[in-house]
Amino acid sequence: MEKIKKVLFPFLIPVIVLAAWIYATQLGKVPSSLLPGVSSVGEAFKRQIENGQLIQDLGVSLGRVVKGYAISIILGILLGALMGMSKSMWHLFHGVTTTIRQIPMMAWIPMIILWCGIKELSKVVIIVIAAFFPIMTNTLGGISSTPKEYIEVAKLYKLSRWKTFTKVYLPHAIPQIFVGLKLGLGTSWMAVVAAELIASVSGIGYRLSDARNMMRSDVMIVCMIVIGLVGALMDKIITLLFGVLTPWEKKGKAV
Amino acid sequence: MADTILKIEHLNKTFEVDKEKIDILKDINLEIKAGEFITIVGHSGCGKSTLLKIIGGLVEYTDGTVERNGKKVTEPGTDCGMVFQEHRLLPWLKIKDNVAFGLDGVPQDEREKLVKEHINLVHLDGFENVYPAQLSGGMSQRAAIARGLVSNPSILLLDEPFGALDALTRIQMQREIQRIWKEKKTTMIMVTHDIDEAIYLGKRIVVMSARPGEIKTILNVDSAAKNRGSADFAYYKKKIYDHFFEDAEDAPEYII
Ligand SMILES: Nc1ncnc2c1ncn2[C@@H]1O[C@H](COP(=O)(O)OP(=O)(O)O)[C@@H](O)[C@H]1O
Ligand SMILES: [Mg+2]
């Protein structure tokens, strides 16, 4: 029974939605200009794959995400760890980061475009801003909640500050850092699509806005579904990576 | 005296809480010889853990002198290991790496040798590659003892190490620590709130008074008292209870 739940339940809602979609379009209750039929969306998807456009769009968008996300991982973990381990760093940065974090990612886009143009740089900068904060705040949370008992053990064995970081603070923070990495990847993906929607000549977000201009609702739906699925896939990859990197998390009391 | 390993003279300790100084330890004087097993009993909050941490160099003191191996204590050192009530093994390190935690900077092959030797000492062979979450409470404390002894310190401090264990495991671990003490000849200083444990293990028992922590008396336990069923054992037990409740009106009659 558990197994059935695990395998079938995730598909239950998609199937219902699909059925409702087919029902609404087949019976002609909803005009195809508002909601194209499943088959025409399927054909649009096939076309997009065959002419290589979808892959190319995704490649462009993902390339931007990889660059921006990598930068925000480095900056986010670095600053989060510094703030978590040093009181003076915390006082120096906490007020500023808390304030900047309140500005929605969309509100950055106009100024970023003004400063960085509409080429690659602006997309990467927007992703960095979007992904940096969840990574930084979660790293900070994980580092600063390290039990003082463990830190005392490190002190007892006279570990250097760096060794204390790598052997005590960092492993303790890893589960929460991964929460930040997940959130950050999600926001990176959303940020790149948003940025491409607003100003771009390439990428999956651009394809969506281009389809809107051409009144191609089938292509728009293809783009939306692909954006959702790719985001979910990236989320899954991070979850798997977390499992590999924290072998101690799974082991329960066995002996 | 050549074989004095720990010397505490006129040690006072205050903690500042809300800008107010609170006396925790008052005029502690204690001299311990190499190879002794000392147990410390006292009410909870009387400063036992603080005293051990001062000896271990984890807590600063300003008033009085504390000398470990003839040197004034200013910081932790490899000559002094420590075991806490919670095992404090790092959940992300395998048992062998937890045991090796106290060997930072020791060359690889020597480190491996020491780790193997001490895992064997505490009878955890075969558990080198498991994580702490997979061990029972007693086994975790064994690993913690191995970590505390791995650098072959001359002193091992034990802060209520068996306090969280069930009664049977506790008695088993008391035997184990005695065996290890005899084998390694390490000077051991153990804080406990279990009076039976204090009598069973201690060659001398330091009895502390409640706040501020002072040494009330130090009892020499002769070896005849080591049998838990003996009259001597009961005698020491009563003596310690009397010290604890000497101020109290209702002297407990349930002791023996
Ligand atoms: N870092 C600290 N700052 C302030 N008070 C402390 C600190 N550590 C311990 N104390 C206080 O000192 C007293 C003695 O603590 P402790 O040595 O842990 O007692 P015990 O181990 O005998 O139960 C307690 O009242 C405790 O609240
Ligand atoms: Mg204590």
Side-chain angles (χ1 to χ4, degrees), chain B residues 43-50 53 85 159-160 191:
Chain B
H43 289 283
S44 131
C46 77
K48 305 180 295 296
S49 297
T50 307
K53 284 181 189 175
Q85 175 164 0
D159 191 359
E160 306 193 23
V191 164

mmCIF file with all atom_site columns, all heavy atoms in Angstrom, chain B residues 43-50 53 85 159-160 191, ligand 2:
data_model
loop_
_atom_site.group_PDB
_atom_site.id
_atom_site.type_symbol
_atom_site.label_atom_id
_atom_site.label_alt_id
_atom_site.label_comp_id
_atom_site.label_asym_id
_atom_site.label_entity_id
_atom_site.label_seq_id
_atom_site.pdbx_PDB_ins_code
_atom_site.Cartn_x
_atom_site.Cartn_y
_atom_site.Cartn_z
_atom_site.occupancy
_atom_site.B_iso_or_equiv
_atom_site.pdbx_formal_charge
_atom_site.auth_seq_id
_atom_site.auth_comp_id
_atom_site.auth_asym_id
_atom_site.auth_atom_id
_atom_site.pdbx_PDB_model_num
ATOM   1  N  N   . HIS B 1 43  ? 26.158 18.908 45.387 1.00 0.00 ? 43  HIS B N   1
ATOM   2  C  CA  . HIS B 1 43  ? 24.838 19.259 44.871 1.00 0.00 ? 43  HIS B CA  1
ATOM   3  C  C   . HIS B 1 43  ? 24.956 19.787 43.449 1.00 0.00 ? 43  HIS B C   1
ATOM   4  O  O   . HIS B 1 43  ? 25.982 20.365 43.075 1.00 0.00 ? 43  HIS B O   1
ATOM   5  C  CB  . HIS B 1 43  ? 24.207 20.337 45.746 1.00 0.00 ? 43  HIS B CB  1
ATOM   6  C  CG  . HIS B 1 43  ? 23.795 19.838 47.090 1.00 0.00 ? 43  HIS B CG  1
ATOM   7  N  ND1 . HIS B 1 43  ? 22.671 19.097 47.298 1.00 0.00 ? 43  HIS B ND1 1
ATOM   8  C  CD2 . HIS B 1 43  ? 24.392 19.958 48.305 1.00 0.00 ? 43  HIS B CD2 1
ATOM   9  C  CE1 . HIS B 1 43  ? 22.561 18.790 48.568 1.00 0.00 ? 43  HIS B CE1 1
ATOM   10 N  NE2 . HIS B 1 43  ? 23.605 19.300 49.210 1.00 0.00 ? 43  HIS B NE2 1
ATOM   11 N  N   . SER B 1 44  ? 23.895 19.630 42.727 1.00 0.00 ? 44  SER B N   1
ATOM   12 C  CA  . SER B 1 44  ? 23.911 20.145 41.367 1.00 0.00 ? 44  SER B CA  1
ATOM   13 C  C   . SER B 1 44  ? 23.996 21.669 41.404 1.00 0.00 ? 44  SER B C   1
ATOM   14 O  O   . SER B 1 44  ? 23.373 22.319 42.241 1.00 0.00 ? 44  SER B O   1
ATOM   15 C  CB  . SER B 1 44  ? 22.666 19.643 40.649 1.00 0.00 ? 44  SER B CB  1
ATOM   16 O  OG  . SER B 1 44  ? 22.016 20.685 40.010 1.00 0.00 ? 44  SER B OG  1
ATOM   17 N  N   . GLY B 1 45  ? 24.834 22.231 40.565 1.00 0.00 ? 45  GLY B N   1
ATOM   18 C  CA  . GLY B 1 45  ? 25.015 23.679 40.529 1.00 0.00 ? 45  GLY B CA  1
ATOM   19 C  C   . GLY B 1 45  ? 26.079 24.191 41.481 1.00 0.00 ? 45  GLY B C   1
ATOM   20 O  O   . GLY B 1 45  ? 26.291 25.393 41.589 1.00 0.00 ? 45  GLY B O   1
ATOM   21 N  N   . CYS B 1 46  ? 26.800 23.286 42.158 1.00 0.00 ? 46  CYS B N   1
ATOM   22 C  CA  . CYS B 1 46  ? 27.782 23.758 43.133 1.00 0.00 ? 46  CYS B CA  1
ATOM   23 C  C   . CYS B 1 46  ? 29.120 24.080 42.488 1.00 0.00 ? 46  CYS B C   1
ATOM   24 O  O   . CYS B 1 46  ? 30.048 24.512 43.152 1.00 0.00 ? 46  CYS B O   1
ATOM   25 C  CB  . CYS B 1 46  ? 27.958 22.759 44.267 1.00 0.00 ? 46  CYS B CB  1
ATOM   26 S  SG  . CYS B 1 46  ? 28.945 21.323 43.837 1.00 0.00 ? 46  CYS B SG  1
ATOM   27 N  N   . GLY B 1 47  ? 29.231 23.869 41.182 1.00 0.00 ? 47  GLY B N   1
ATOM   28 C  CA  . GLY B 1 47  ? 30.446 24.275 40.491 1.00 0.00 ? 47  GLY B CA  1
ATOM   29 C  C   . GLY B 1 47  ? 31.384 23.142 40.121 1.00 0.00 ? 47  GLY B C   1
ATOM   30 O  O   . GLY B 1 47  ? 32.542 23.366 39.759 1.00 0.00 ? 47  GLY B O   1
ATOM   31 N  N   . LYS B 1 48  ? 30.885 21.915 40.139 1.00 0.00 ? 48  LYS B N   1
ATOM   32 C  CA  . LYS B 1 48  ? 31.745 20.773 39.821 1.00 0.00 ? 48  LYS B CA  1
ATOM   33 C  C   . LYS B 1 48  ? 32.241 20.818 38.384 1.00 0.00 ? 48  LYS B C   1
ATOM   34 O  O   . LYS B 1 48  ? 33.431 20.633 38.112 1.00 0.00 ? 48  LYS B O   1
ATOM   35 C  CB  . LYS B 1 48  ? 30.989 19.451 40.069 1.00 0.00 ? 48  LYS B CB  1
ATOM   36 C  CG  . LYS B 1 48  ? 30.413 19.310 41.460 1.00 0.00 ? 48  LYS B CG  1
ATOM   37 C  CD  . LYS B 1 48  ? 29.690 17.992 41.659 1.00 0.00 ? 48  LYS B CD  1
ATOM   38 C  CE  . LYS B 1 48  ? 28.446 17.815 40.799 1.00 0.00 ? 48  LYS B CE  1
ATOM   39 N  NZ  . LYS B 1 48  ? 27.361 18.759 41.076 1.00 0.00 ? 48  LYS B NZ  1
ATOM   40 N  N   . SER B 1 49  ? 31.304 21.069 37.474 1.00 0.00 ? 49  SER B N   1
ATOM   41 C  CA  . SER B 1 49  ? 31.713 21.136 36.062 1.00 0.00 ? 49  SER B CA  1
ATOM   42 C  C   . SER B 1 49  ? 32.680 22.289 35.836 1.00 0.00 ? 49  SER B C   1
ATOM   43 O  O   . SER B 1 49  ? 33.659 22.155 35.086 1.00 0.00 ? 49  SER B O   1
ATOM   44 C  CB  . SER B 1 49  ? 30.498 21.328 35.154 1.00 0.00 ? 49  SER B CB  1
ATOM   45 O  OG  . SER B 1 49  ? 29.638 20.222 35.251 1.00 0.00 ? 49  SER B OG  1
ATOM   46 N  N   . THR B 1 50  ? 32.394 23.410 36.488 1.00 0.00 ? 50  THR B N   1
ATOM   47 C  CA  . THR B 1 50  ? 33.279 24.568 36.348 1.00 0.00 ? 50  THR B CA  1
ATOM   48 C  C   . THR B 1 50  ? 34.681 24.225 36.841 1.00 0.00 ? 50  THR B C   1
ATOM   49 O  O   . THR B 1 50  ? 35.669 24.568 36.184 1.00 0.00 ? 50  THR B O   1
ATOM   50 C  CB  . THR B 1 50  ? 32.698 25.758 37.142 1.00 0.00 ? 50  THR B CB  1
ATOM   51 O  OG1 . THR B 1 50  ? 31.350 25.974 36.733 1.00 0.00 ? 50  THR B OG1 1
ATOM   52 C  CG2 . THR B 1 50  ? 33.516 27.009 36.913 1.00 0.00 ? 50  THR B CG2 1
ATOM   53 N  N   . LYS B 1 53  ? 36.385 22.111 34.260 1.00 0.00 ? 53  LYS B N   1
ATOM   54 C  CA  . LYS B 1 53  ? 36.756 22.893 33.075 1.00 0.00 ? 53  LYS B CA  1
ATOM   55 C  C   . LYS B 1 53  ? 37.929 23.813 33.367 1.00 0.00 ? 53  LYS B C   1
ATOM   56 O  O   . LYS B 1 53  ? 38.737 24.090 32.472 1.00 0.00 ? 53  LYS B O   1
ATOM   57 C  CB  . LYS B 1 53  ? 35.554 23.696 32.586 1.00 0.00 ? 53  LYS B CB  1
ATOM   58 C  CG  . LYS B 1 53  ? 34.548 22.819 31.850 1.00 0.00 ? 53  LYS B CG  1
ATOM   59 C  CD  . LYS B 1 53  ? 33.366 23.604 31.350 1.00 0.00 ? 53  LYS B CD  1
ATOM   60 C  CE  . LYS B 1 53  ? 32.296 22.667 30.813 1.00 0.00 ? 53  LYS B CE  1
ATOM   61 N  NZ  . LYS B 1 53  ? 31.085 23.398 30.424 1.00 0.00 ? 53  LYS B NZ  1
ATOM   62 N  N   . GLN B 1 85  ? 29.160 14.557 30.156 1.00 0.00 ? 85  GLN B N   1
ATOM   63 C  CA  . GLN B 1 85  ? 27.970 13.737 30.404 1.00 0.00 ? 85  GLN B CA  1
ATOM   64 C  C   . GLN B 1 85  ? 27.316 13.319 29.086 1.00 0.00 ? 85  GLN B C   1
ATOM   65 O  O   . GLN B 1 85  ? 26.972 12.163 28.886 1.00 0.00 ? 85  GLN B O   1
ATOM   66 C  CB  . GLN B 1 85  ? 26.960 14.492 31.264 1.00 0.00 ? 85  GLN B CB  1
ATOM   67 C  CG  . GLN B 1 85  ? 25.669 13.704 31.420 1.00 0.00 ? 85  GLN B CG  1
ATOM   68 C  CD  . GLN B 1 85  ? 24.792 14.211 32.551 1.00 0.00 ? 85  GLN B CD  1
ATOM   69 O  OE1 . GLN B 1 85  ? 25.131 15.162 33.231 1.00 0.00 ? 85  GLN B OE1 1
ATOM   70 N  NE2 . GLN B 1 85  ? 23.667 13.567 32.751 1.00 0.00 ? 85  GLN B NE2 1
ATOM   71 N  N   . ASP B 1 159 ? 33.191 14.247 33.569 1.00 0.00 ? 159 ASP B N   1
ATOM   72 C  CA  . ASP B 1 159 ? 32.112 15.048 34.149 1.00 0.00 ? 159 ASP B CA  1
ATOM   73 C  C   . ASP B 1 159 ? 30.785 14.300 34.067 1.00 0.00 ? 159 ASP B C   1
ATOM   74 O  O   . ASP B 1 159 ? 30.113 14.334 33.045 1.00 0.00 ? 159 ASP B O   1
ATOM   75 C  CB  . ASP B 1 159 ? 32.017 16.399 33.425 1.00 0.00 ? 159 ASP B CB  1
ATOM   76 C  CG  . ASP B 1 159 ? 31.102 17.367 34.158 1.00 0.00 ? 159 ASP B CG  1
ATOM   77 O  OD1 . ASP B 1 159 ? 30.549 16.986 35.201 1.00 0.00 ? 159 ASP B OD1 1
ATOM   78 O  OD2 . ASP B 1 159 ? 30.967 18.507 33.688 1.00 0.00 ? 159 ASP B OD2 1
ATOM   79 N  N   . GLU B 1 160 ? 30.440 13.606 35.133 1.00 0.00 ? 160 GLU B N   1
ATOM   80 C  CA  . GLU B 1 160 ? 29.229 12.771 35.180 1.00 0.00 ? 160 GLU B CA  1
ATOM   81 C  C   . GLU B 1 160 ? 29.076 11.927 33.917 1.00 0.00 ? 160 GLU B C   1
ATOM   82 O  O   . GLU B 1 160 ? 28.029 11.946 33.266 1.00 0.00 ? 160 GLU B O   1
ATOM   83 C  CB  . GLU B 1 160 ? 27.986 13.651 35.378 1.00 0.00 ? 160 GLU B CB  1
ATOM   84 C  CG  . GLU B 1 160 ? 28.097 14.552 36.584 1.00 0.00 ? 160 GLU B CG  1
ATOM   85 C  CD  . GLU B 1 160 ? 26.769 15.179 36.978 1.00 0.00 ? 160 GLU B CD  1
ATOM   86 O  OE1 . GLU B 1 160 ? 25.723 14.620 36.620 1.00 0.00 ? 160 GLU B OE1 1
ATOM   87 O  OE2 . GLU B 1 160 ? 26.792 16.219 37.647 1.00 0.00 ? 160 GLU B OE2 1
ATOM   88 N  N   . VAL B 1 191 ? 33.610 13.607 38.260 1.00 0.00 ? 191 VAL B N   1
ATOM   89 C  CA  . VAL B 1 191 ? 32.483 14.229 38.951 1.00 0.00 ? 191 VAL B CA  1
ATOM   90 C  C   . VAL B 1 191 ? 31.285 13.305 38.813 1.00 0.00 ? 191 VAL B C   1
ATOM   91 O  O   . VAL B 1 191 ? 31.056 12.730 37.749 1.00 0.00 ? 191 VAL B O   1
ATOM   92 C  CB  . VAL B 1 191 ? 32.158 15.597 38.322 1.00 0.00 ? 191 VAL B CB  1
ATOM   93 C  CG1 . VAL B 1 191 ? 30.779 16.074 38.761 1.00 0.00 ? 191 VAL B CG1 1
ATOM   94 C  CG2 . VAL B 1 191 ? 33.214 16.615 38.700 1.00 0.00 ? 191 VAL B CG2 1
HETATM 95 MG MG  . MG  C 2 .   ? 27.793 19.700 35.944 1.00 0.00 ? 2   MG  C MG  1
#
